[in-house]
Amino acid sequence: MIVIYTLGDFDIEINGRSILESIGSQHKLMKLFKYFLTFQGNKLLPEDIVEDLWPDDDYKDPLSVLRTQISRVRKMIDFEKYGVESFFEITYIDGYYSFKLHENCMVDFLLMQECIQAYHSDEDKTEVMKKCRMGVDLYKGEYLRELGLEDWIIPIRNRFDRLYVNNLSHYLQALKEMSMDNLIISICEEVMAHKPYEEIIHIYFIDSLLNLGQNRCALSHYNYFTAKMHRDLEIPPSKELRELYGRIKSDDDDCLSLVSLSNIDDLLKCSDEPEGALVCNKDYFKLLYNIAVRFNERVKRKNSFVGIISIGSNDFRDLSKKEMKRAMSLLSDAIYHGLRKRDVISPWNDRQILLLLYDLEEAYLETIINRIRDTFNNMLKDEKI
């Protein structure tokens, strides 16, 4: 049996054994194979194949090069060595190439599509649920993610992501209707590794924690996810998330009990002690800044400092959104771990982060900034930013 994995780490297995190592580093051939696999069953114009795969290569006779590469793809795998028959064929009819898989081959993205289609069928509900779960388990990451952001793969990848999320949502909703909250939590924890920014997963996760009475865990995860979305994508909490937050607070047993001197410290203290500096939004930063100003006017203490760290390019060019987003994410991590728990940081815009440093001698400022800069540079490894 031949199995091809495309969702996550690409692999070709024959009888449970990966054969990629035996194929070797034939990058162009493997890329052509993945292209045919993606569009299997379709009629493909040679000119379109060349334009999609090698738009920047200046071949004198690109169609001749394509024919040569296709011939090599056909011989790329030594099937006799593994004791199996070929699992695909590439034909050329009426000016079109066509790629066909044989029955002895299973491809994960094709099986996932079949499982998703079962949700809309008239099959027995138990069988539909099994196939929905199979469709969820088959997804291990973006479709052919090793190909990066090539133009031809992006719409295909987005389609599979959309199908997967829709299938997952249907499955989680069905589990919710059956009150299977422990299973929902388990599935969501697995899926978050592949889809950390997919809000619907976190909504089902928090909802199930609340259903099981785990309010503190629900609040902790809510704070984690909303902070991550704000820091990485500058996206505020949605209406659904805000409603969950209201439910967390209304269900909190602590809010229903009387406050006394014996329990006030436990009630006010955060259940999860942060590792690094306090991360907050602009409004909260302004509040803390003005509190510090008022306090410093009354009490003689060590200095407090407000600072700005900005990202730019050393060659005065405009950074792309992708470069800026990655740099800001790494900078946030570097600052968060480089400051003390008493310090405060706030993302101010797409290229600046504000700092509020308490009880600090001015002589230590340069040490702190150098430590943050060194950590950031080691993480980013780009001397131009």
Side-chain angles (χ1 to χ4, degrees), residues 192-224:
M192 285 174 196
H194 311 305
K195 289 288 183 185
Y197 298 103
E198 197 62 51
E199 184 182 89
I200 190 66
I201 301 167
H202 298 270
I203 288 175
Y204 276 104
F205 182 70
I206 295 172
D207 178 73
S208 290
L209 288 173
L210 290 173
N211 292 339
L212 295 175
Q214 300 181 28
N215 290 37
R216 299 241 171 165
C217 291
L219 178 59
S220 175
H221 190 80
Y222 173 88
N223 289 334
Y224 155 77

Side-chain angles (χ1 to χ4, degrees), residues 273-280 285 305-309 330-347 353-361 364-373 375-376:
E273 187 71 17
E275 296 178 359
L278 172 65
V279 183
C280 64
F285 187 91
F305 296 91
V306 64
I308 306 169
I309 295 186
L330 295 177
L331 177 60
S332 297
D333 288 341
I335 297 174
Y336 175 79
H337 294 291
L339 297 181
R340 305 160 300 175
K341 292 183 180 181
R342 73 184 71 174
D343 300 321
V344 183
I345 64 176
S346 174
I353 295 177
L354 266 60
L355 320 177
L356 187 56
L357 312 177
Y358 294 103
D359 297 335
L360 189 69
E361 296 291 350
Y364 292 116
L365 283 175
E366 192 66 26
T367 301
I368 292 172
I369 296 301
N370 286 338
R371 181 168 67 239
I372 292 172
R373 183 187 292 113
T375 302
F376 172 73

Side-chain angles (χ1 to χ4, degrees), residues 7 34 36 38 43 45 50 63 77 92 107 133 147 164 166 175 183 199 225 235 262 299 330 340 349 355 363 370:
L7 299 167
K34 292 172 184 177
F36 276 123
T38 300
K43 291 182 177 180
L45 277 171
V50 171
L63 298 185
I77 301 173
Y92 183 75
V107 186
R133 179 59 193 266
L147 294 182
Y164 168 71
N166 287 340
L175 294 178
L183 182 54
E199 184 182 89
F225 179 63
I235 296 177
S262 63
V299 182
L330 295 177
R340 305 160 300 175
N349 51 45
L355 320 177
N370 286 338

Side-chain angles (χ1 to χ4, degrees), residues 19 22 24 41 68 89-90 136 153 160 162 173 176 190 197 201 243 248-249 266-267 294 297 322 325 343 354 365 380:
I19 65 168
S22 66
T68 301
E89 60 183 87
I90 304 173
V136 171
I153 197 68
F160 289 148
R162 187 177 69 255
Q173 182 60 34
K176 179 179 178 180
E190 293 177 12
Y197 298 103
I201 301 167
E243 289 174 351
I248 293 171
K249 303 308 291 181
D266 291 334
L267 292 176
R294 289 190 179 191
E297 289 175 351
K322 183 179 178 181
K325 177 182 171 182
D343 300 321
L354 266 60
L365 283 175
L380 185 65

Side-chain angles (χ1 to χ4, degrees), residues 260-293:
S260 67
L261 288 176
S262 63
N263 70 355
I264 190 170
D265 189 57
D266 291 334
L267 292 176
L268 295 178
K269 187 177 181 181
C270 293
S271 58
D272 296 309
E273 187 71 17
E275 296 178 359
L278 172 65
V279 183
C280 64
N281 59 30
K282 297 178 186 178
D283 292 334
Y284 192 50
F285 187 91
K286 291 178 184 177
L287 174 64
L288 294 177
Y289 171 81
N290 283 283
I291 290 174
V293 170

Side-chain angles (χ1 to χ4, degrees), residues 7-18:
L7 299 167
D9 295 327
F10 179 81
D11 201 359
I12 302 175
E13 289 185 356
I14 297 181
N15 297 326
R17 177 186 172 189
S18 174

Side-chain angles (χ1 to χ4, degrees), residues 109-128:
F109 80 84
L110 295 176
L111 183 57
M112 185 182 76
Q113 289 182 100
E114 291 178 13
C115 292
I116 292 172
Q117 289 169 0
Y119 185 82
H120 304 285
S121 69
D122 296 327
E123 288 189 48
D124 176 74
K125 186 176 181 181
T126 302
E127 288 300 314
V128 170

Side-chain angles (χ1 to χ4, degrees), residues 142-153:
E142 288 184 331
Y143 179 71
L144 297 179
R145 61 187 176 191
E146 71 279 358
L147 294 182
L149 298 176
E150 297 201 17
D151 289 343
W152 67 271
I153 197 68

